[in-house]
Amino acid sequence: MIYDRRDAREFEPIDRRPDGFGWVAHPHETAVRASHAVRCDDGVWIVDPLWAPGVTDRIDELGAVAGVVVCFNWHGRDADRFARHYDVPVFVPDWNGMSRVVSRIDAPIERFADRFGEGESGFELIRCEPMAGWSEAMAYRESDGTLYVPESLATAPTYTVGDERLGAGVLRRLDPPRDQLWPLEPDRVLVGHGAGVMDEATRALEDALAGSRRRLPRALLRNGGAQMRALFAAVRD
């Protein structure tokens, strides 16, 4: 099953650390959609989330929630449900490409430019719009080397080949986000699909960016069918 659209019965914690954690609401789905909660100076930010029983109890342990953020125009997921639960807005980049997700959110929305939380979160957005219909906000916090990539790179099995710990989707293999991410030296890379890379993250990132084109034939053979099915499933949603 590419995407499990049923209500989750539980969640699997991932990327656990003192300032936050991630979770997978449907661990057995092929897409391995990951959600994140990160504690910042201005409160806890919930990023690209899927609802699961008990996850709000875990989020509450981090502190007061400042807002919910959607970082990819196909990641509306359950952002509005979390926003209503915590009585906070859903924050969406003010780019035209994000209009799709805005139309699907049933909660107050706040648009923002290059950083959420008026800069107090510490996260700077990196705009990535490589093709029509793709509007992605990668987020980087230099103070602790945290990078979040919602879609272009991931660790789910349908993204990686060979020894890759971080891989590009088939649609991004010929044009990976090199210009945006080469200058960064993250200590951890969190992703929208799969568990994050929590050690030697810069090395994993450099390998993903440098080798994505060379490994395209292998990625097409192994992951091409699953990625196309995922694309069609997302479009039908």
Side-chain angles (χ1 to χ4, degrees):
M1 182 181 300
I2 299 291
Y3 301 112
D4 190 342
R5 304 298 189 187
R6 298 170 297 183
D7 290 339
R9 296 182 178 181
E10 56 186 357
F11 67 94
E12 178 180 299
I14 57 173
D15 305 340
R16 287 174 280 196
R17 57 202 188 281
D19 69 338
F21 73 103
W23 69 95
V24 176
H26 300 284
H28 303 296
E29 68 177 12
T30 305
V32 196
R33 290 172 293 168
S35 313
H36 300 275
V38 184
R39 185 173 60 224
C40 304
D41 289 344
D42 55 347
V44 177
W45 290 88
I46 304 172
V47 185
D48 290 353
L50 281 169
W51 189 270
V55 75
T56 55
D57 295 335
R58 185 71 174 270
I59 293 172
D60 292 342
E61 295 175 4
L62 295 173
V65 171
V68 182
V69 187
V70 174
C71 289
F72 184 54
N73 61 325
W74 295 85
H75 280 187
R77 298 180 174 177
D78 294 322
D80 47 8
R81 184 170 179 178
F82 280 90
R84 293 193 300 269
H85 178 84
Y86 285 106
D87 193 23
V88 296
V90 176
F91 289 75
V92 181
D94 60 359
W95 312 334
N96 290 337
M98 287 288 184
S99 58
R100 177 189 183 277
V101 75
V102 168
S103 68
R104 287 162 169 76
I105 292 175
D106 183 18
I109 293 173
E110 287 197 19
R111 307 302 296 269
F112 64 99
D114 56 355
R115 59 187 70 182
F116 50 86
E118 299 181 352
E120 295 181 26
S121 70
F123 280 97
E124 299 281 346
L125 293 191
I126 303 168
R127 188 169 182 169
C128 182
E129 295 181 312
M131 63 189 77
W134 188 302
S135 190
E136 179 178 15
M138 298 176 283
Y140 185 60
R141 185 165 64 182
E142 186 175 8
S143 62
D144 67 352
T146 298
L147 172 65
Y148 173 60
V149 183
E151 191 68 26
S152 286
L153 303 174
T155 64
T158 53
Y159 285 76
T160 58
V161 293
D163 296 330
E164 289 181 337
R165 294 191 297 140
L166 186 65
V170 170
L171 291 176
R172 296 305 320 270
R173 289 253 167 195
L174 285 177
D175 182 28
R178 291 178 177 174
D179 291 344
Q180 295 93 338
L181 300 183
W182 262 128
L184 307 183
E185 297 182 354
D187 292 321
R188 64 186 65 83
V189 180
L190 310 179
V191 295
H193 296 272
V197 178
M198 309 302 284
D199 62 283
E200 297 187 339
T202 295
R203 181 178 297 181
L205 176 62
E206 291 174 347
D207 178 68
L209 297 176
S212 63
R213 294 179 184 176
R214 183 175 70 253
R215 301 172 190 133
L216 174 60
R218 187 173 181 181
L220 280 171
L221 182 63
R222 176 179 172 179
N223 300 331
Q227 289 252 315
M228 290 303 101
R229 289 193 297 274
L231 175 62
F232 293 143
V235 170
R236 289 199 304 269
D237 184 20

